Amino acid sequence: MSDNDDLTLARRLLEAAKAAGADHADAMVATATSAAVGVAGGALEEAERSEGRDAGLRVIAGKGQACVSSSDLRDDNLVEMAERAVTMARAAPEDPYCGLAESTALSALRDADGLDLLDPTAPADPAALEAMALEAEAAALAIKGVVQVEQASAMWQRDRITLALSNGFEGGYARSTASLAVSALAGEGTGRERDYAVETRRHAADLPAPGDVGRRAGERTVARLGAQRPPAGNFPVVYDERVSGGLIGHLLGAMNGASVARGSSWAAEKLGEQLLPTTIDIVEEPHLKRGRGSRPFDAEGLPTMRRPLVSGGVLDRWVLDLATARQLDLESTGNARRGLSGPPSPGVSNVRMTLGEKDRAGLLAEIGTGLLVTSFLGAAINPTTGAYSRGASGFWVEGGEIAYPVNEITLAGSLPEMLGTLILGSDADDAKALSAPSMIVQGLTLGA
């Protein structure tokens, strides 16, 4: 199906909603084509190819709203969808904050031209994907100590989003995704360890070589052999670049307008206050070329733009869609996201941080004795108080050098206190939507 076909479908949904009695409506059409291959033991283990086209409709009738979605896109079903949605909206509890944007506020950008999100030469051929996966698997198995590769996989996907609103907005864009992943095992019996490497890009040409991905998975796995329990107590902790984005993600969650409006954010009263060290800025960059989170407009047709989130450690703004902005008596920040079967909600695009001057080795040297965390298992984060508790594994550090691997650790602390101590490294991965470097975190208690 072409872009025009999807826009025609979205328009038909709007017409059906209007005929059914909706006051306002927005329609989204999503199409996707994907191919994925997994190998194990040097042989093809699974191969999948899928194509799909689905549509979602949100209607507003009076003060109520409702959302429906379907993959049955026949004309009679579109009419039934619209009628069902209007009936549901009229029966729904009143929501004084739902509604579309004013037409004067809509984005001038209606496509992703210039963002280079679609790779026309992606390796959609299963044979090419299989060759990539086999090369990655062989590289992992070549690492001494690796006993098995659970699976090496390669994937390609192309999807297109088309949006039409009854306030006059119409837009859409396509994007591609290519990825490689390897999961390896080392050791035997109760001493067996597992680790992985995964890489994802918009353009396949930007992926690391399959052999590099496989070797990284194998080396990470072997490095975990012989894990011990570390001493308990209060120690500085280095969050490896692989996991540091999760910590910043907790901050972004506290800045999310939905949490703030519900009163369930520990940062709800901290707008304009110092949360991070003065050396740290955090910026949202929705228009990065080939960016994992790039988008020309948000899910409500509003413009996306570069905006500061934290400046000099000070919390600059909330992350808002129209509904949460109205609840807080503010303006939307163009951060609406939505799926086909639900209303918009706030969410960020690409996030970038100030970088420090030291790489991970430099951060380890700075802490002297402490913990390097490379993976987490489970989480207990209280979004209202910021109380933090997570299971973790990684490496014990002595004299600024890795001494031995550790696992079955519990880290406990307070997010507001932890974030105020951050010392950032220089090794952020720009291929990620949330790009955060390795960082030193103080104020944590280690329990074994």
Side-chain angles (χ1 to χ4, degrees), residues 340-364:
L340 292 172
S341 57
S345 61
V348 295
S349 55
N350 303 302
V351 174
R352 298 293 182 263
M353 302 184 67
T354 307
L355 299 183
E357 297 180 354
K358 297 180 180 179
D359 59 11
R360 193 185 75 172
L363 297 183
L364 297 182

Side-chain angles (χ1 to χ4, degrees), residues 26-402:
D26 58 45
M28 176 181 286
V29 178
T31 62
T33 301
S34 65
V37 166
V39 303
L44 181 66
E45 185 176 57
E46 61 180 8
E48 298 179 359
R49 183 176 178 85
S50 65
E51 295 185 10
R53 190 174 187 229
D54 302 272
L57 175 68
R58 178 176 66 135
V59 303
I60 299 170
K63 293 292 186 179
Q65 68 174 335
C67 300
V68 294
S69 64
S70 180
S71 57
D72 183 351
L73 305 179
R74 295 172 299 174
D75 286 343
D76 56 347
N77 191 56
L78 298 184
V79 171
E80 182 182 336
M81 281 177 62
E83 292 174 345
R84 184 168 71 251
V86 170
T87 299
M88 292 166 59
R90 287 174 176 159
E94 288 193 359
D95 181 353
Y97 306 112
C98 69
L100 305 187
E102 296 294 332
S103 58
T104 54
L106 297 175
S107 173
L109 292 177
R110 303 297 171 97
D111 55 45
D113 289 355
L115 297 185
D116 200 14
L117 301 182
L118 183 63
D119 180 2
T121 62
D125 176 38
L129 294 173
E130 183 179 0
M132 293 166 64
L134 287 170
E135 182 181 346
E137 180 192 36
L141 289 170
I143 301 300
K144 184 178 180 180
V146 172
V147 297
Q148 181 183 345
V149 170
E150 289 184 302
Q151 189 179 72
S153 61
M155 184 276 291
W156 168 87
Q157 178 172 309
R158 180 190 189 276
D159 62 282
R160 183 172 65 244
I161 302 296
T162 302
L163 188 64
L165 287 73
S166 60
N167 59 8
F169 181 86
E170 293 182 346
Y173 57 95
R175 57 196 177 186
S176 55
T177 304
S179 70
L180 272 167
V182 181
S183 175
L185 296 171
E188 300 293 340
T190 58
R192 176 162 286 195
E193 296 288 348
R194 174 187 290 105
D195 212 323
Y196 68 93
V198 59
E199 297 287 346
T200 303
R201 302 288 191 274
R202 286 287 176 218
H203 284 235
D206 295 336
L207 283 170
D212 292 341
V213 178
R215 278 190 292 275
R216 193 179 312 128
E219 290 167 354
R220 287 173 173 173
T221 304
V222 171
R224 295 171 65 98
L225 291 173
Q228 306 176 35
R229 297 286 187 88
N234 296 317
F235 295 95
V237 178
V238 173
Y239 279 45
D240 184 78
E241 179 273 330
R242 295 172 70 188
V243 299
S244 61
L247 183 60
I248 303 306
H250 295 314
L251 171 61
L252 296 175
M255 298 169 60
N256 188 290
S259 297
V260 176
R262 287 195 305 265
S264 60
S265 168
W266 56 265
E269 304 298 326
K270 297 186 180 296
L271 194 64
E273 294 187 11
Q274 192 83 36
L275 293 188
L276 278 65
T278 58
T279 55
I280 297 179
D281 297 335
I282 304 179
V283 178
E284 184 178 19
E285 298 269 15
H287 295 167
L288 292 179
K289 286 191 175 182
R290 303 192 182 188
R292 289 278 303 282
S294 294
R295 50 183 179 160
F297 49 81
D298 81 347
E300 294 176 312
L302 294 177
T304 55
M305 62 187 71
R306 185 183 190 276
R307 297 180 190 265
L309 296 165
V310 174
S311 298
V314 174
L315 180 60
D316 279 326
R317 67 175 177 96
W318 307 128
V319 176
L320 304 172
D321 62 354
L322 281 169
T324 56
R326 290 168 181 147
Q327 284 181 266
L328 297 169
D329 197 25
L330 297 168
E331 296 293 327
S332 171
T333 55
N335 283 104
R337 290 189 173 277
R338 64 165 292 191
L340 292 172
S341 57
S345 61
V348 295
S349 55
N350 303 302
V351 174
R352 298 293 182 263
M353 302 184 67
T354 307
L355 299 183
E357 297 180 354
K358 297 180 180 179
D359 59 11
R360 193 185 75 172
L363 297 183
L364 297 182
E366 184 165 340
I367 68 168
T369 298
L371 179 70
L372 166 65
V373 176
T374 57
S375 65
F376 283 111
L377 177 64
I381 312 298
N382 187 316
T384 304
T385 66
Y388 179 95
S389 179
R390 300 203 67 178
S393 62
F395 299 88
W396 189 248
V397 177
E398 294 281 0
E401 300 284 345
I402 290 176

